[in-house]
Amino acid sequence: MAEQGTNGAGSPSFAEIIRGHAKDRPLPKRFYKQAEVAETDGGFTVTLDGRGIKTPLKQPLTLPARTLAEAVAAEWNAQGEHVDPASMGLTRLSNTAIDRVAPDKQRIVSEILAFAGSDLLCYRAESPDPLVARQCAIWDPILKWAAESLGVGLVTATGIIHRAQPEASLAKLNTLLNDYDPFALTAIHNMTTLSGSAIVAVAVARGHLEPEAGWAAAHLDEDWQIEQWGEDAATLRRRALRKAEFDSAVSFLKLTNHP
C-alpha cells in the first residue's frame, strides 16, 4: 500500500490498498479512524478522517445517492484492525461504475447483449421430460414478460447449437440498457454474468422477479443435477460465493435509488 499522506493529496486509493495485499501478505492495517458521508459536486462521497476516497484510477468517489454513500461508509467503518478489500463489495462496485462503466457505457451494454444473444433461458434440454417441463414452467413466463413488457422477444432452441436472436429484440434491449446510469448498469452487468442470463438480470432490476426467484431460475439446471446426483461440496462453496456477489449487486442497485 502506498504510504498515506506522502504528498498531502489525501487518502490512498482503493487500488493502493489492494496492491498492498496479496495472498502471501497480511492485510494492510487500518489507517483511519472514521469514515463519513459528505456532499460533493454531483452527489455524495465518503471521507476517511475528512479526506476523500479515490477510485483505483484516482477519480473522486462520487456516488449518486446518500443511501449508497452511507452503505459504502459503513463498509469502511466495519473494518477492524486491518482493511480487507474482499469484504467491501459496494466499494468495489462503486469503483467499477466510475472507472470502467461510466467512460464506456456501450462496451458494457455490448457485453450484456452478448449474453442475451445466447441467453440461458433460451436453450432447452431434449430430455428427460421432467426437466424439460420444469424449464418450460419456470423460463417461459420470464421470456413472455420480456416480450410483452419490454418488446424483447427471444426464440428458444433445443440442445446447445447456437440460434441467432432477432436483431430487433437485441436493438430494443440495447436501447433499454442505455437508459440506465453507470451505477445501475454495473449492477445489471454483474447480475448478468453471475446468472448467465441478461433477461433474468433485467427482470430482477425492473422488479418483475424477486432476486431469489431470479437466482433460482438461473440455476434450474444445476439444481436438477443436484437432485439427481447429490451435492458436491466444492461446487456449493463456489455457488455460495457467487450468490453473495449476486446479492451484493442487487443491494447496490437498490441503494442507488434507481426505480
Side-chain angles (χ1 to χ4, degrees):
M1 184 179 67
E3 291 185 10
Q4 183 219 357
T6 54
N7 60 6
S11 301
S13 73
F14 199 64
E16 290 169 330
I17 295 171
I18 293 174
R19 282 197 297 270
H21 171 57
K23 289 184 178 180
D24 58 347
R25 298 179 185 175
L27 292 169
K29 288 186 177 181
R30 178 167 173 162
F31 53 88
Y32 58 94
K33 293 182 179 179
Q34 185 69 27
E36 297 178 312
V37 173
E39 292 191 35
T40 187
D41 292 339
F44 302 87
T45 192
V46 175
T47 63
L48 305 178
D49 297 338
R51 289 171 292 192
I53 296 175
K54 298 288 187 180
T55 70
L57 295 185
K58 301 300 181 105
Q59 297 190 74
L61 188 75
T62 303
L63 306 173
R66 178 176 287 276
T67 50
L68 177 58
E70 289 173 346
V72 169
E75 286 186 336
W76 288 86
N77 283 325
Q79 302 303 303
E81 182 181 353
H82 296 87
V83 178
D84 182 5
S87 69
M88 306 171 77
L90 298 176
T91 301
R92 293 198 309 274
L93 288 169
S94 297
N95 289 334
T96 299
I98 295 168
D99 283 349
R100 181 176 179 229
V101 179
D104 194 358
K105 278 183 61 178
Q106 187 55 51
R107 180 167 64 87
I108 305 305
V109 168
S110 295
E111 290 179 9
I112 300 173
L113 290 174
F115 275 88
S118 56
D119 203 275
L120 169 73
L121 305 190
C122 295
Y123 290 85
R124 308 300 176 85
E126 297 178 357
S127 62
D129 290 344
L131 173 58
V132 174
R134 187 182 299 186
Q135 289 176 337
C136 291
I138 301 299
W139 291 351
D140 283 357
I142 303 173
L143 291 177
K144 182 179 180 181
W145 167 83
E148 295 179 350
S149 298
L150 306 179
V152 181
L154 301 184
V155 295
T156 61
T158 301
I160 60 174
I161 297 177
H162 177 72
R163 182 173 182 182
Q165 296 297 340
E167 289 296 328
S169 294
L170 296 179
K172 181 68 175 179
L173 183 58
N174 177 70
T175 299
L176 183 154
L177 291 170
N178 269 291
D179 285 341
Y180 286 102
D181 64 47
F183 287 83
L185 193 59
T186 297
I188 293 171
H189 182 272
N190 271 32
M191 286 190 285
T192 297
T193 59
L194 290 164
S195 68
S197 171
I199 300 303
V200 164
V202 172
V204 172
R206 297 179 79 89
H208 174 70
L209 285 178
E210 290 296 323
E212 290 298 325
W215 181 259
H219 290 79
L220 185 155
D221 287 348
E222 185 176 296
D223 287 339
W224 173 267
Q225 293 298 325
I226 290 173
E227 290 172 15
Q228 307 311 307
W229 307 107
E231 298 178 343
D232 174 76
T235 299
L236 291 179
R237 283 194 296 270
R238 287 193 295 271
R239 176 163 164 171
L241 290 173
R242 292 171 63 81
K243 178 61 162 55
E245 291 184 37
F246 185 87
D247 291 343
S248 181
V250 172
S251 296
F252 185 74
L253 181 65
K254 291 179 179 178
L255 289 166
T256 65
N257 290 335
H258 201 284

